[in-house]
Amino acid sequence: VDPDPQRRGGIAHCVTEQGFMVITGAGGGIMQAGNQGAGADQSFGLNIQLPFEQGANPFIAGDSKLINFKYFFTRKLFFLRESDALALFPGGFGTQDEAFECLTLSQTGRLGPVPLVLIDRAGGDYWHDWNAYIHKHLVGRGLVSPADPSLYTITDNLEIACEAIRS
């Protein structure tokens, strides 16, 4: 995660300037930066209730736009149903699940088209390594179309990320 909170919240601020609202998972780290960058009036939180996780971040906690979910599939449905674009930052299994779900739905015409922007820290390789996997194991074996990687944009530049959403 990029240690600069202004940069992390920058994409959220950028999309609110374009007239969009921001939806995050309401947790800490990058999700908190998203809620903070968007501001209270322009952000929602979709929190998953887990016994080993903390509650919602302080920028969305107690807000009427915070929705708590018991099940991941219900939460993901709300994310995808209500989103006009998705920006994902390096993360764990949940991030991977959301990325592949969005790609599957876009590829099959069930979603969008919506911009899927995969944003890394400056000089980072998280999404480039992920993309290499996609090309080697999926495109290279004919399991997805060579055109399918065009469904997403990988960048470490917030201007490029904002433009991908804007266009």
Side-chain angles (χ1 to χ4, degrees):
V1 174
D2 191 324
D4 180 359
Q6 292 296 64
R7 179 177 149 72
R8 289 187 290 156
I11 188 73
H13 180 74
C14 170
V15 298
T16 58
E17 290 289 310
Q18 293 181 41
F20 295 104
M21 295 186 79
V22 171
I23 304 172
T24 76
I30 197 68
M31 294 178 276
Q32 178 173 323
N35 290 125
Q36 181 180 7
D41 292 341
Q42 298 297 317
S43 66
F44 283 82
L46 305 181
N47 190 43
I48 188 75
Q49 298 169 330
L50 299 172
F52 52 87
E53 296 278 337
Q54 294 185 4
N57 71 66
F59 292 96
I60 197 68
D63 192 295
S64 62
K65 295 184 304 305
L66 172 65
I67 304 168
N68 291 296
F69 291 88
K70 182 176 180 180
Y71 300 109
F72 280 105
F73 73 91
T74 312
R75 177 180 181 231
K76 189 167 43 175
L77 173 68
F78 272 73
F79 267 125
L80 294 175
R81 183 174 159 255
E82 299 301 327
S83 295
D84 295 308
L86 288 99
L88 296 176
F89 290 80
F93 290 133
T95 300
Q96 294 294 313
D97 178 52
E98 290 164 0
F100 281 113
E101 179 80 11
C102 179
L103 286 171
T104 301
L105 294 173
S106 293
Q107 178 198 49
T108 59
R110 302 286 187 220
L111 174 70
V114 298
L116 173 59
V117 185
L118 308 173
I119 305 169
D120 211 331
R121 63 180 170 80
D125 60 3
Y126 181 93
W127 292 115
H128 289 291
D129 288 350
W130 179 89
N131 190 47
Y133 169 86
I134 299 297
H135 282 273
K136 179 180 180 181
H137 294 285
L138 302 182
V139 175
R141 295 178 182 181
L143 301 173
V144 300
S145 166
D148 285 342
S150 69
L151 295 170
Y152 53 86
T153 300
I154 295 174
T155 188
D156 65 358
N157 181 307
L158 293 182
E159 298 301 322
I160 292 171
C162 290
E163 182 55 33
I165 292 169
R166 184 179 300 115
S167 66

